[in-house]
Structures are given as structure tokens and as C-alpha cells.
Amino acid sequence: MGNEQQLLDHLKWMTAELRQSRRRLHEAESSMREPIAVIGMACRFPGGASSPEGLWRLLDGGSDAMSGFPTDRGWDLDRLYSPDPERPGTSYVREGGFLHDAGDFDPGLFGISPREALAMDPQQRLLLEGAWETVERAGIAPASLRGSRTGVFIGTNAQDYAQLLLADTSRKLEGHISLGNAASVVSGRLAYTFGLEGPAVTIDTACSSSLVALHLACQALRQGDCSLGLAGGVAIMSTPGIFVEFSRQRVLAPDARCKPFAAAADGTAWSEGLGLLLVERLSDAHRNGHPVLAVIRGSAVNQDGASNGLTAPNGPSQQRVIEDALAGAHLAPGDIDAVEAHGTGTALGDPIEAEALIAGYGRHRDRPLWLGSVKSNIGHTQAAAGVAGVIKMVQAMRQGVLPRTLHVDEPTPHVDWSAGPVELLTEPVPWPETGRPRRAAVSSFGISGTNAHTIIEQAPVPVPEEANEAVRLQPPRPEAPAVPWLLSAKSETGLAAQAQRLIQHLDAHPDLDTGQVAWALATTRSMLEHRAVIVGDREALREGLAALAVGEPHPAVVTGRTAPGGGKLALMYSGQGSQRPGMGAQLYQHLPVFAQALDRTCEALDPHLDRPLKPLMFGQDPELLDHTLYTQPALFALHTALTHTLTTFGITPHHLLGHSIGEISAAHTAGIFTLTDAAELITTRARLMNTLPPGTMAAINTTPTDLTPHLGPDVTIAAHNTPTTTVISGDTHAITDITNHYQQQGTKTTKLRVNHAFHSHH
């Protein structure tokens, strides 16, 4: 019998182990397929497209962003141009897509000396500015990422700035030139400046670099190598060398216009640009309350191998990378609505790409696959080309329109367009809602043969938990007669420039909601050393901005400068008596990060209560909210949700104080209790105190508690972060009853936590 029992136990153990192994395998496979959310974007492209919104306006308006060679880079323009393609040292084109303000940079913002900044590749300068903006556009303060496992994946394909520096015989910048122009430092400087501790990788696969960078960022997120990923590409032409070199190869369009898939296609057109995306696992983005602009469903990278020439594209390889990306996304060709093609406008490359797209997407379709290329508007932005296409398609999904491709006289006759329903976007095409997400693919091909294909999906529409009637019936808040606008910068000059830009934005959007601007300035921008607050209605705000922009005083403006090291912040958690019906209802309705934190806290509390807590907080049965059994859990839920909201916005306390029930809220924030343990302790305390004889409450010691926390990204902190000096006060009888309750349960971990919190520090 003993052997049979041992065998049975062993079989049970093996069965349990097998189930756990299957579960772990399923979780691992699911994580490798998890969609990746795009939570922030920033860009600088020709034609003044200094933001994703600016790029969309350029595309939606059908604008051509090409312009003459820059006059501020020391290029000998008189000798550079020659219409003769055989003439050495010259270019037979004299236009391109340029960032004419590429030399503008504020080194002080990033703690860089002017001398070091001058020796830095302008691509690095542009990346620093773009990274700051990308992170802020996701609602994250850049300083809050210091020490985080954020990865950096940057595509680049040229570092020609050093040629100018080495030609300078003054030698003033020696010692800075090497690092300032190293390819590895393109990504490394971002990690260093912002204190990012995930992988930092610079990728050079030529024109596919930024899309390869995005692919690697998505893989790193799924594998757990990083929690956030900053991915994209940059290209600045410090010298005209690329125009000279490709003039000899005769691959440039003489009019400097890309004509993707057109019969008139006669070459590519070089441009500059920067595009950056902040990406995160979709589940993490939802949990952290970050905006989801779009979703990366799948991506793939491969190589041409032995094609018919080192730089010649390979159709079968392009078709395979499409198939691999679809397989990774678990989608069929018919699920894709449009393709943002590489589409450089060359007579050789475009027909090969079109045939690969027809073969990969043209089968089993009941509607056209729309084909376009952003290069027709802004030219070929080289290492930033792929990310330019991604930003274009994200914006198109959000707007519900596919913009037209310029400079197409008629489809190229070198492609059998009848082989599949693939059509060029020669006019804007509506992109309607059809009951399934809008989806698009983006292609990039490097001159050395590295191909990349990415599949993007419309952001999922969140389905919030149905609000209770008290929340739904909240009256609309009237527009405030005066609102505060908060501005900050690293210097007084920067502060004035911020004011000037805000004036321009205000003038360009006369219907702007001043309250929404106030909210955005207060919650999505970093608080830097030099600060200003402008208070008033629209007219007063504009007048105050104008005064701030020129350094003049104004009654609506208050300016100041933070003290070195900043001040200390303490949070006080209130006790019973501060509750009221409807507390937190408006925050829950309007602030997703608060709503998610409150939901999570109530989920931990509700199993210990005889009715759901949230409806009581929001006004149902208001008399019950004054009942100790519900009051104390409700206050704890509000404390916890408010704390999570503040820390999400970068407001982190240095000290925590708690009064009565607030002591436990403070202890939880400080990391002494997990959410699970705190929820059980709170509800047990409330239940026991509810049964105490009348008058016992008077014995409670109300001395505030001072807890010095070590806060992480969420509210639940590991116990080893417990402060070294902690004092928690409370009613001696209640503490004894609670401790006895846990001892009777025999729950060792909880018992030790109670002993740690209430006895060793009492």
C-alpha cells in the first residue's frame, strides 16, 4: 500500500509539473506574439514637418517638401552643380529634402558644453531633442526614465560631419571629435543622457535601418530585455558627398523628385529627417495608462543574398519577408488594407518591389491593396525612411484617409498590374471603419540587401468598465474663467522661446481649449529649472505669453527659479471622517490612470467585503459610506489610486505621513505591505473596529506616521525597501485583536508582516 501511495503521489506531482510546464510554455509563446504599442512619436522632416501632426498636414495637403541646397553648411554651391553627369566632384541635381534648422540646438538642456556640442554630429543633437519630445508625447517625464530598463535602437547610415571638423586647422575641437561622431554613440549618447539601462544599439543597414531598429526593439520587448523601447532613425547630410557619388552612378532624379511606381520614374531624391517611436508591450501600455497610437502586430527582416548585383533588389527575398511578417502577425494577406512601400522612384527597384507586393498580397482579396510612398512628398530620408512611413500610416489610421502619392503620371508599364488587385494611391482614398481594425504594412530595403517589413494595426478602442449611474450623471464642468499655464525651461532664453512657440500654437488654433492646454502643460511636460505661470482667460494668457517672450513683466505672469536640489515633498494620508459620497467619481470618469489604479485596489478589497466598494464611493447608498466597515477600505482605495496617479505624473513624495487608517495607506505606499496584505489588513481592521464597544475609539493615538518610501513604477513595492526608521501608531486594543486574528489564521507571512509593522516599530 505504501508503494502504491508513493506512486500515486509521484504521478500527481508529475501531472502538476506537466500542467505548470504547459502553462509556462503557453505564457512564453504568448509573450513572443504580444502586440507592441506605439505610445509616443516625434519627427523632423522636410517642409517644416516638425511633428507627426505637421507631417500629416503636409501629406494631407499634397505638398512637395523639396527645396534648394542649404546655404549655411559651407557647401560651394557654385562649383557643386553641373548638368553634366560625367563631371567629377559635381552633382547634376541642386535640390533635396533638407532640415534647414538642423544647426539649431540648446546644449544646456542636456548638460552639454557648447564646445562639445559643436563637435557632435548634428544627428546626435537631433536625436536628443527628438527623444525628449517622443517621451513627453507619451505623457512620461524624461527624467523619470533614469535607471529604467528602457532600450535604444537607432538606425543611421552616415557620419560625414567629422570630415568638416578634421578639415578645421584650428584644432579647437580636438578631443571631442571621435566620440562626437562615432556610430555607436548615436544610440549610446541617448542612453547616457537620459540614464537608460536597457540595450543601446546603433543599426546601419542603410535605407532599411530604422525599420530594422523597430523590429529589434519589438523583439527585445517581447523577450523582456527592456520595458520600453526608443526606436527610429536619423539622417543629416553634413556634406554634399552623397549627391556627388550617386550622380556618378546616375541614380538621382534630375528634378529631385521621387516618382514611385510611375512610368516617369527616373531616379531617387535624397533627403534628411528624424523619426522616433516609443514602444511598449500592449499589456504594459494599458496597465500604465499610456496612450496607444497604433499597434505593431508583426515584423520581419531578411537579406537578399546573392542577387544579380550587390545593390540590386531581389524580388523573391522581398516576397519572403512579407510572408514572414504576416506569419509573425498571425494575419492573412487579405487582412492588410494598404502598403507604405519603399518606392524610391527608380526604374529598376520599383517594378521588382511592385511584383513582390502583388505576389505577396494580391491573392485571395476582395478589395484593392492601396499602394503609396511618402518619398513622393519628402524625398528619400535614408536611415529615417522606414520610420517616416510608419508615422505616416499611424496618422492615416487615426485620420481615416490614405493620402495620395505625388508625381505619378501613370503606373509603370514594367509591372503586370492585372496580376493582382494592387492600386496606386494617385488620389486620396477614404479609409473607413469596417468593424475590424485598419491595418497597413511598411517596407524598407537597404542598398546592401537587408529587407524589413512591418505590419501596423489601428489602436484598439478601450472598452472601459461601465460607469455607475452616479458617474454617468455628473454634470459637465463649465469652462473656468481663468486657468493656469505652466511653462519651464533650462534657461531664461529657453523659457522665452517656449512662450513664443505657445503663442504661435494659440494663434494657429483659435478654438483651442485653454483648459486642455493647462492640463497638458501641467501633466505631460517636464518641470525644468526656470519656470513661469500665466493665469487668466484666453486674452490674458496670450498677453502674458507675449510679455514673457520678450522678457517684460505682466500682471498675469509669475516667474521663478527652482532652488538647487529642489524641495522635499510629503504626502499626508487622512483618517476616517474625511470621506464623502462621490469621492473620486470625476477623477474616475476623466482620468484613466486613476480609474485603473482604483479598479485594481477595489479588486483586492472586494473579496473581503459583503458588497462592491466602488458603487458606495460613487454615491450609491451614501449612508453606508459612513459605516466603519466600508469607510476605511474606501479611504484606502482612494489613497492608493491618488498616489499611483501622482507618481505616474512624476510627482514622487520624499516622506509619507498617515493618520489613523491613513497609516496603513502610507505603509503600503512605502512598501511594508503588498496590496494583497494591505487589503486584508484594512478590511480586518475595519471589521474588528466595527465590533469594539462604544468609546473605545477615543483611545486611538493619532500621532502622524512618517514613512520614508522607496517608490518604484507602481504602488506595490518589495518588502526589502522598508525604511530603516518607521513609527506606526494606533489603538492598542485594535492592534492586539488584529494580531491575534492573523495568529489564529496561522498565516505566517502575514503574521510576520503585522509583527514587523506593529510590534518591532511600535
Side-chain angles (χ1 to χ4, degrees), residues 12 58 138 140 145 148 162 315 321 376 423 426 444 472 504 528 564 587 667 692 725 732 737:
K12 289 180 179 179
L58 186 147
I140 301 171
L145 294 182
S148 69
V321 83
S376 72
E423 297 186 21
T426 55
S444 276
R472 287 202 303 271
Q504 295 169 356
L528 302 176
L587 279 175
L692 290 176
T725 303
T732 304
D737 289 343

Side-chain angles (χ1 to χ4, degrees), residues 57 504-513 538:
R57 287 192 293 270
Q504 295 169 356
H505 187 71
L506 188 62
D507 291 345
H509 302 84
D511 297 329
L512 204 64
D513 186 320
R538 179 181 295 271

Side-chain angles (χ1 to χ4, degrees), residues 471-702:
V471 174
R472 287 202 303 271
L473 296 179
Q474 289 291 338
R477 185 187 305 176
E479 185 172 345
V483 297
W485 280 7
L486 282 62
L487 282 73
S488 73
K490 191 71 173 179
S491 64
E492 290 185 5
T493 303
L495 194 61
Q498 288 273 16
Q500 185 59 48
R501 283 194 292 271
L502 196 49
I503 289 174
Q504 295 169 356
H505 187 71
L506 188 62
D507 291 345
H509 302 84
D511 297 329
L512 204 64
D513 186 320
T514 58
Q516 289 183 350
V517 174
W519 171 259
L521 289 171
T523 63
T524 67
R525 303 301 299 270
S526 299
M527 291 291 105
L528 302 176
E529 182 178 350
H530 291 264
R531 302 182 181 182
V533 179
I534 307 167
V535 182
D537 57 15
R538 179 181 295 271
E539 182 178 354
L541 290 168
R542 198 196 184 289
E543 291 177 356
L545 287 172
L548 183 60
V550 296
E552 296 180 352
H554 190 277
V557 180
V558 177
T559 60
R561 185 173 180 180
T562 60
K568 298 291 185 180
L569 174 66
L571 294 184
M572 172 69 183
Y573 295 89
S574 58
Q576 187 168 345
S578 59
Q579 73 277 2
R580 60 178 177 81
M583 61 181 183
Q586 288 190 344
L587 279 175
Y588 188 89
Q589 184 180 19
H590 298 293
L591 198 59
V593 64
F594 174 86
Q596 292 163 6
L598 188 70
D599 286 345
R600 188 165 59 248
T601 308
C602 289
E603 287 173 4
L605 291 164
D606 283 350
H608 306 287
L609 301 171
D610 59 1
R611 62 176 59 204
L613 185 61
K614 194 163 52 181
L616 300 180
M617 297 176 62
F618 291 170
Q620 290 184 2
D621 298 325
E623 68 279 0
L624 287 180
L625 192 61
D626 291 327
H627 197 290
T628 300
L629 189 62
Y630 306 108
T631 300
Q632 296 189 2
L635 286 172
F636 172 76
L638 187 68
H639 293 160
T640 303
L642 286 172
T643 302
H644 180 76
T645 303
L646 290 173
T647 55
T648 299
F649 293 147
I651 303 173
T652 304
H654 300 86
H655 300 284
L656 302 172
L657 295 91
H659 165 69
S660 185
I661 191 65
E663 295 174 344
I664 299 178
S665 299
H668 167 57
T669 300
I672 293 175
F673 299 121
T674 66
L675 179 59
T676 301
D677 289 340
E680 188 171 2
L681 178 57
I682 285 285
T683 50
T684 301
R685 181 184 194 272
R687 189 163 53 251
L688 292 173
M689 291 186 69
N690 190 53
T691 61
L692 290 176
T696 306
M697 293 289 289
I700 292 183
N701 183 345
T702 59

